[in-house]
Structure formats: C-alpha cells, structure tokens
C-alpha cells in the first residue's frame, strides 16, 4: 500500500534534509543492477537509523539482514573510525553486493558482512564473546524476530538500543486471529518485549515511499 502524497512528502523530506548523496545513490543503483528487491529502508529512514546510532554514541553496531548494504552504510557512517558494524546476510548475492557498496562507501574497514543464516552467525558472535553492541537493527526474516530479539538482548548492555523494522505487516499486526507466520511472530515479539523487564519499548507506525509499516524501538534498561 502506497499513496502519492506519502511519496511526495518523503521526497520533500529527503530533498530538504537528506540531500543528494552519490555514495548512497550508487549503492541503490548497484542493488538495482544486481536485481535485489526494493526493500531497503527509505533515505529518511536510513538517516533516522544514523541519528539513533549517533544519539546512543554507538561504537559497535549489529545488523540482522543486510540486503545491498543500504541501511548498513547509514549506520556505519555514525561510527567512529575505530568502530565496528557487523551485518548478517543469508543470500550470497546480497552479501556480495553489500560488500561492494560498503567498500565504495569507504566503510570496509569498519563494516563486516557475515554470510550465513543469522541464527548461526549470532551463535558464533555470542561464542566470540566480544564487547556488547550499542545498537542492534533487526531487519531480516520476520518469523525469526523473537529469536533475533533474544539474541540482541544477550549481545547488548544497559543503554543499548534495539530497533526492529517492519512490525506493522500492512496493519495485520493488530489481528490476533491472523494465521500469517510473520504476523504471529511479530505479535509474539510484542508479547516477549512486554514481559521483558530488561527493556522499555514502543512501536510506531510509518508511511512513506516504502508504504505503510513501522518500527519497534527498545532500550535496554540500566
Ligand atoms: N536492512 C536492509 C534490508 C534488509 S532486507 C536495508 O534496509 O538496506 C532483508 C534481508 O534479510 C534480505 O537480504 C534477506 O536475504 C536477509 N535474510 C532473510 N532471512 C535471513 C536469515 N535467516 N539470515 C540472514 N539474513 C536473512
Ligand atoms: C520486506 C522485508 C523488509 O525488510 C522490508 O523492509 C520490507 C519488505 C519483505 O520481505 O517483503
Ligand atoms: Mg525492513
């Protein structure tokens, strides 16, 4: 579902506050040329992720679901020179496009694309026992969101922020009787978060050039 006014307003916001960005435009063009689906975050949403990463002072960022690296570029640009972004992708073609885009963006020193099922990669990251992540962006297969959220909690610290994309499911998230596995998982995610004393969270609906959707934002508590 999209509406011309949503596109027009997104174009207006992106033109005024995001601006012309050759690196990001090249990343989108490379994703298009490789036939990747048009499911990256919109420019003004990418900038929101960037602002959230700046706001939490992120030095380590974890992304679940890379696609062509568009959101990864926005997130990694918020990192200091010695920061780290790890982004998880199951599709080798997506990972290859993302690596090229991150290299052209000059971010290949801070950003690492790990190929494989995110649940496997998360287990590896957990076993590596590195420093906690300051921000986690969950944006892969929606049925695994409760499991990704559980991993995000394990891999963060008090003050970290966990962001989950695509939680509205065209409005179906409000349907307790839905049989759609992504809706069932998104509702389960909300139940898990509501019962989790270690986070304080909200979800917001969004409209724009990517249609009608929304984010969940959860802060890990002190
Ligand atoms: N965050 C990206 C968009 C990600 S689209 C952006 O905004 O630019 C979702 C991605 O998750 C796709 O590339 C898909 O291949 C990947 N994905 C789906 N299931 C996955 C899984 N089980 N493990 C890792 N990645 C997965
Ligand atoms: C889909 C996935 C996304 O991450 C998104 O932002 C939009 C759509 C999808 O799988 O259809
Ligand atoms: Mg998404």
């Amino acid at each position: 579902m999209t509406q011309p006014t949503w596109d027009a307003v997104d174009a207006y916001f992106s033109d005024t506050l995001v601006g012309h960005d050759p690196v990001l435009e090249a990343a989108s063009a490379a994703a298009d040329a490789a036939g990747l689906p048009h499911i990256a975050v919109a420019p003004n949403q990418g900038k929101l992720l960037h602002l959230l990463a700046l706001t939490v002072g992120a030095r380590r960022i974890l992304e679940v679901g890379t696609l062509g690296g568009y959101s990864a570029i926005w997130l990694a640009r918020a990192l200091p020179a010695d920061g780290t972004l790890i982004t998880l992708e199951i599709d080798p073609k997506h990972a290859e496009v993302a690596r090229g885009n991150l290299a052209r963006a000059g971010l290949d020193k801070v950003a690492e694309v790990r190929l494989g099922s995110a649940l496997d990669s998360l287990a590896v990251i957990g076993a590596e026992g590195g420093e906690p992540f300051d921000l986690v962006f969950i944006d892969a297969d929606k049925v695994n969101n409760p499991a990704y959220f559980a991993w995000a909690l394990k891999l963060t610290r008090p003050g970290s922020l966990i962001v989950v994309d695509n939680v509205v499911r065209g409005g179906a998230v409000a349907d307790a009787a839905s049989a759609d596995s992504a809706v069932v998982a998104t509702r389960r995610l909300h139940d898990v978060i509501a019962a989790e004393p270690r986070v304080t969270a909200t979800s917001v609906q969004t409209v724009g050039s990517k249609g009608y959707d929304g984010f969940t934002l959860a802060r890990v508590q002190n």
Side-chain angles (χ1 to χ4, degrees), residues 28-131:
S28 295
D32 273 357
L36 271 50
H38 288 158
I39 56 175
V41 295
N44 51 340
Q45 295 174 333
K47 193 163 184 185
L48 172 64
L49 295 172
H50 177 78
L51 292 172
L52 291 171
L54 288 176
T55 300
V56 300
R59 304 184 65 83
R60 282 174 60 80
I61 297 174
L62 174 64
E63 178 179 68
V64 184
T66 314
L67 194 65
Y70 185 83
S71 54
I73 292 173
W74 273 115
L75 287 164
R77 280 178 170 179
L79 290 168
D82 63 346
T84 301
L85 176 138
I86 300 176
T87 181
L88 312 181
E89 176 54 54
I90 199 168
D91 185 313
K93 185 168 85 170
H94 297 184
E96 185 190 331
V97 172
R99 286 184 181 123
N101 282 337
L102 287 160
R104 277 187 295 276
L107 294 164
D108 44 337
K109 296 283 187 290
V110 292
E112 177 195 352
V113 181
R114 292 206 188 177
L115 180 62
S117 141
L119 288 175
D120 292 345
S121 298
L122 288 162
V124 170
I125 291 167
E128 286 171 358
E131 294 291 307

Side-chain angles (χ1 to χ4, degrees), residues 98-216:
R99 286 184 181 123
N101 282 337
L102 287 160
R104 277 187 295 276
L107 294 164
D108 44 337
K109 296 283 187 290
V110 292
E112 177 195 352
V113 181
R114 292 206 188 177
L115 180 62
S117 141
L119 288 175
D120 292 345
S121 298
L122 288 162
V124 170
I125 291 167
E128 286 171 358
E131 294 291 307
F133 293 95
D134 309 302
L135 188 151
V136 181
F137 179 48
I138 298 174
D139 190 22
D141 51 326
K142 312 311 170 189
V143 290
N144 280 315
N145 275 351
Y148 296 149
F149 190 84
W151 271 112
L153 262 183
K154 283 193 191 116
L155 298 173
T156 49
R157 56 161 176 86
S160 296
L161 182 67
I162 302 168
V163 182
V164 187
D165 194 22
N166 311 119
V167 296
V168 171
R169 314 305 311 172
V173 70
D175 179 7
S178 175
D180 179 320
S181 58
V183 173
V184 171
T186 303
R187 292 181 62 87
R188 193 148 56 82
L189 173 72
H190 281 78
D191 291 342
V192 164
I193 293 174
E196 176 52 70
R198 286 174 293 172
V199 299
T200 184
T202 192
S203 294
V204 289
Q205 302 180 72
T206 57
V207 296
S209 60
K210 298 292 164 122
Y212 167 48
D213 217 314
F215 296 103
T216 297

